[in-house]
């Protein structure tokens, strides 16, 4: 009996030692991070920094030479066209009454009149374009429910209508400014012809040509100003556009009406815009690393309600993603970190029964963060993210 007990003890010890040896020499699973393919459209974008700017800026100049009284406006103040007084100018000396000043004032009237005629022609041309865009949009709106046109063609017609309306507003604003310049020039002549009177009711008053906001006050203190001296800069703070300076290599891929996603502008919501113009010339810019680069300005217009971006102002920094291409909505895509090259082919590691398996895949387009998969994977596959050299076919993994 004792002999059997001793055998059982030695057998137990032998089994324990064997288990320890087996456990010690068995490779431990490699800890990995995993992801799965996703289904959806893959957007190919050109990403770069940019800034906002007011579409139309109006610099109000002193129409006559004289003594300007102190300006009471400050940046951010609202102004009303034809009502808000920007500055008051008193005669500095009798030199305002000489023949030369009168001739110059009369010439300014003729120049202002010609400018108003030109602005009126631009308004007429913009209104004609708006009427044509409205007809095309109405036609597209009727055809869309019957699938006679594509959604893309309808969106283009809608975009053209909005752009045409914006051009009309811009042309009308320029016309109002031209009319204001005629009034200012004619008032200058009347002021020159009048007798010198230092009383306040006879001061020359400069009023706002547009409804908008004071962007900058160039001269606030009282003093002598010459005709043509900048006084204030006005603009509509809600009428913003976007300027993105991108590499010329990327600019050739961008087309008008391409969508733009505005991120990292300070708000939580991604803003939408559409490309209006790719400027036809490049300029030299030195990057933060000291590298000389050829860049091109790309101009985009915001799409959507002003309330979504009411905190944005002139010259604010933004980050824009210009969508130059995209895959269908049913595309399979994976994070770029799961892919690696082996020979002339792309591969991934797929996990089956807690073991890694090397899989050859066929890739499509990529935006640097995600890559389209054309063949080789299924949506429910579990893939290893950033595989190391320790991962081989058959390697046990833990995730």
């Amino acid at each position: 009996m004792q002999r059997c007990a001793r055998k059982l003890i030695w057998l137990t010890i032998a089994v324990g030692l064997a288990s320890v040896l087996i456990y010690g020499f068995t490779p431990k699973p490699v800890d990995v991070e995993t992801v799965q393919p996703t289904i959806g459209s893959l957007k190919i974008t050109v990403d770069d920094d940019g800034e906002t700017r007011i579409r139309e800026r109006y610099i109000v100049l002193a129409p006559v030479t004289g003594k300007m009284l102190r300006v009471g406006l400050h940046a951010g103040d609202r102004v009303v066209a034809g009502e808000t007084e920007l500055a008051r100018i008193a005669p500095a000396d009798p030199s305002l009454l000489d023949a030369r000043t009168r001739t110059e004032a009369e010439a300014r009237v003729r120049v202002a009149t010609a400018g108003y005629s030109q602005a009126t022609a631009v308004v007429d041309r913009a209104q004609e374009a708006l009427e044509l865009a409205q007809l095309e949009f109405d036609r597209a709106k009727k055809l869309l429910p019957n699938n006679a046109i594509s959604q893309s063609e309808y969106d283009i017609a809608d975009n053209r209508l909005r752009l045409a309306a914006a051009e009309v507003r811009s042309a009308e604003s320029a016309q109002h400014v031209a009319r204001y310049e005629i009034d200012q020039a004619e008032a200058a002549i009347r002021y020159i012809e009048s007798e010198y009177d230092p009383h306040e009711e006879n001061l020359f008053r400069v009023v706002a040509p547009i409804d908008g906001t004071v962007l900058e006050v160039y001269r606030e203190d009282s003093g002598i100003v010459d005709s043509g001296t900048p006084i204030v800069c006005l603009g509509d703070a809600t009428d913003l556009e976007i300027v993105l300076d991108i590499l010329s290599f990327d600019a050739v891929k961008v087309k008008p009406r391409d969508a733009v996603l505005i991120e990292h502008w300070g708000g939580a919501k991604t803003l939408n815009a559409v490309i209006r113009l790719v400027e036809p010339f490049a300029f030299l810019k030195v990057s933060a690393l000291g590298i000389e680069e050829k860049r091109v300005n790309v101009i985009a217009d915001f799409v959507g309600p002003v309330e979504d971006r009411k905190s944005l102002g002139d010259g604010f920094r933004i980050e824009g993603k210009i969508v130059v291409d995209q895959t269908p909505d049913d595309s399979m895509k994976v994070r770029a970190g799961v892919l690696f090259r082996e020979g002339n082919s792309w591969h991934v590691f797929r996990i089956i029964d807690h073991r890694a398996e090397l899989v050859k895949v066929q890739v499509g387009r990529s935006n640097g963060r995600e890559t389209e998969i054309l063949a080789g994977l299924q949506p429910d596959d579990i893939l290893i993210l950033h595989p190391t050299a320790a991962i081989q076919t058959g390697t046990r993994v833990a995730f």
Side-chain angles (χ1 to χ4, degrees):
M1 190 70 177
Q2 292 180 352
R3 185 176 182 182
C4 291
R6 286 196 299 269
K7 287 183 178 181
L8 182 60
I9 292 173
W10 283 109
L11 180 62
T12 302
I13 294 173
V15 171
L17 290 174
S19 300
V20 171
L21 291 174
I22 293 173
Y23 177 79
F25 285 100
T26 300
K28 294 182 179 180
V30 179
D31 291 328
V32 295
E33 183 180 356
T34 61
V35 294
Q36 286 186 284
T38 57
I39 302 299
S41 177
L42 176 64
K43 291 181 172 59
I44 312 300
T45 61
V46 173
D47 305 346
D48 222 316
D49 296 340
E51 65 178 23
T52 60
R53 73 180 180 190
I54 291 178
R55 189 190 307 272
E56 299 290 346
R57 300 169 65 96
Y58 300 95
I59 298 177
V60 180
L61 310 177
V64 295
T65 299
K67 180 181 180 181
M68 184 180 72
L69 304 184
R70 183 175 179 83
V71 176
L73 295 173
H74 301 87
D77 291 345
R78 295 287 300 173
V79 296
V80 179
E83 297 182 11
T84 305
E85 183 179 270
L86 303 180
R88 293 175 296 170
I89 301 177
D93 52 53
S95 63
L96 287 171
L97 304 176
D98 62 21
R100 175 183 175 183
T101 303
R102 177 187 177 88
T103 302
E104 291 176 349
E106 291 174 347
R108 280 196 295 271
V109 172
R110 293 193 294 271
V111 171
T113 302
Y116 180 77
S117 299
Q118 184 178 8
T120 302
V122 173
V123 170
D124 294 339
R125 186 164 59 249
Q127 289 175 342
E128 290 289 339
L130 177 60
E131 292 176 2
L132 178 59
Q134 184 67 55
L135 290 174
E136 292 179 349
F137 176 74
D138 293 341
R139 188 180 302 113
K141 191 174 182 180
K142 293 178 181 178
L143 295 176
L144 182 63
N146 300 325
N147 294 323
I149 62 172
S150 65
Q151 181 66 39
S152 175
E153 291 173 321
Y154 173 81
D155 293 340
I156 290 175
D158 182 35
N159 177 254
R160 287 176 177 170
L161 177 61
R162 291 198 304 269
L163 293 181
E167 291 295 335
V168 170
R169 292 194 299 270
S170 178
E172 289 176 345
S173 297
Q175 186 185 40
H176 294 330
V177 172
R179 177 71 262 177
Y180 162 79
E181 290 175 349
I182 292 178
D183 296 340
Q184 293 281 61
E186 290 177 345
I189 290 182
R190 292 193 299 270
Y191 180 68
I192 290 172
E193 291 176 344
S194 65
E195 295 182 357
Y196 173 75
D197 188 348
H199 293 93
E200 184 171 346
E201 60 268 18
N202 294 322
L203 294 177
F204 188 88
R205 289 172 170 79
V206 181
V207 297
I210 62 167
D211 294 332
T213 305
V214 177
L215 303 179
E216 187 176 358
V217 179
Y218 296 117
R219 175 155 181 172
E220 187 175 358
D221 296 331
S222 174
I224 301 298
V225 294
D226 293 326
S227 175
T229 300
I231 302 175
V232 296
C233 179
L234 307 178
D236 183 359
T238 63
D239 188 18
L240 294 175
E241 62 184 7
I242 303 164
V243 184
L244 297 166
D245 61 318
I246 64 177
L247 293 172
S248 58
F249 174 81
D250 292 325
V252 298
K253 308 172 188 176
V254 179
K255 304 179 297 299
R257 296 190 297 276
D258 280 348
V260 184
L261 305 176
I262 307 302
E263 300 177 344
H264 303 110
W265 57 276
K269 185 177 181 180
T270 297
L271 303 179
N272 296 312
V274 62
I275 297 296
R276 171 163 51 89
L277 172 67
V278 180
E279 291 188 349
F281 60 91
F283 58 91
L284 188 65
K285 183 177 181 179
V286 180
S287 70
L289 299 177
I291 302 173
E292 293 185 347
E293 300 171 336
K294 280 292 188 177
R295 291 188 168 265
V296 177
N297 279 336
V298 176
I299 314 301
D301 295 318
F302 282 106
V303 176
V306 177
E307 290 73 18
D308 291 344
R309 57 178 187 277
K310 60 183 179 181
S311 58
L312 276 177
D314 183 49
F316 283 34
R317 177 188 175 276
I318 55 94
E319 291 183 12
K321 298 179 181 293
I322 305 173
V323 182
V324 296
D325 194 10
Q326 64 183 78
T327 64
D329 293 336
D330 59 351
S331 301
M332 181 186 298
K333 54 187 180 179
V334 298
R335 289 174 57 177
V338 306
L339 292 164
F340 60 92
R341 291 189 69 90
E342 190 169 287
N344 295 324
S345 304
W346 288 97
H347 295 78
V348 300
F349 275 116
R350 176 171 56 193
I351 298 177
I352 297 179
D353 296 332
H354 290 273
R355 292 187 180 275
E357 178 186 44
L358 184 65
V359 179
K360 179 180 178 181
V361 295
Q362 183 179 352
V363 301
R365 285 165 285 188
S366 176
N367 61 8
R369 297 176 297 276
E370 294 181 312
T371 302
E372 179 188 17
I373 300 298
L374 302 178
L377 294 178
Q378 297 299 323
D380 57 350
D381 285 338
I382 300 177
L383 310 177
I384 297 178
L385 183 63
H386 305 301
T388 64
I391 306 295
Q392 302 293 332
T393 298
T395 302
R396 294 178 64 242
V397 296
F399 58 96

